[in-house]
Amino acid sequence: DDEPERRVWKITCRVDGSRGEMVYQAAFPMPKGAEFSRVFVPFDDFQLVRGPRVVPGAPKLNVTNGIYQIGMSLSKFVIGVNTTELENFRAGFFDLQIRQIGFYNNASTDKED
């Protein structure tokens, strides 16, 4: 994507089998260009949301009992208390290629594969 800053890239996480509209979500920066890039999204960045809106007073993401589902999305909405559209959003086709999804701890973020 030549203009990733004109879109809101999000990763979604469910910790149970519920199919409700509330999920934990975190936005992440999408690097420009076609090369694969490493992107770190700390579990502390995830917030409970209903659509693009943060659920006030919600508990932090707790993955102690495992993760049920991970998803990726592209949105025109910024994660926040109010529904806010990204200014200058670019609609249309996108292609997100993922080579690997993994987990890390803070001590391993500066190490190579």
Side-chain angles (χ1 to χ4, degrees), residues 10 12-14 24 26 33 45 55 61 81-82 86 91 95 103-104:
K10 300 175 183 178
T12 301
C13 182
R14 289 182 190 274
Y24 283 91
D45 286 0
V55 176
L61 175 64
V81 176
N82 298 314
L86 179 68
D95 184 20
F103 299 94
Y104 68 96

Side-chain angles (χ1 to χ4, degrees), residues 2 94 110:
D2 292 336
F94 76 97
D110 56 355

Side-chain angles (χ1 to χ4, degrees), residues 27 34 41 49-50 54 60-61 69 74 76-77 81 91 105:
V41 183
V49 298
R50 178 180 285 127
V54 172
K60 287 186 163 272
L61 175 64
Q69 180 183 54
L74 177 142
K76 67 179 180 179
F77 296 106
V81 176
N105 63 37

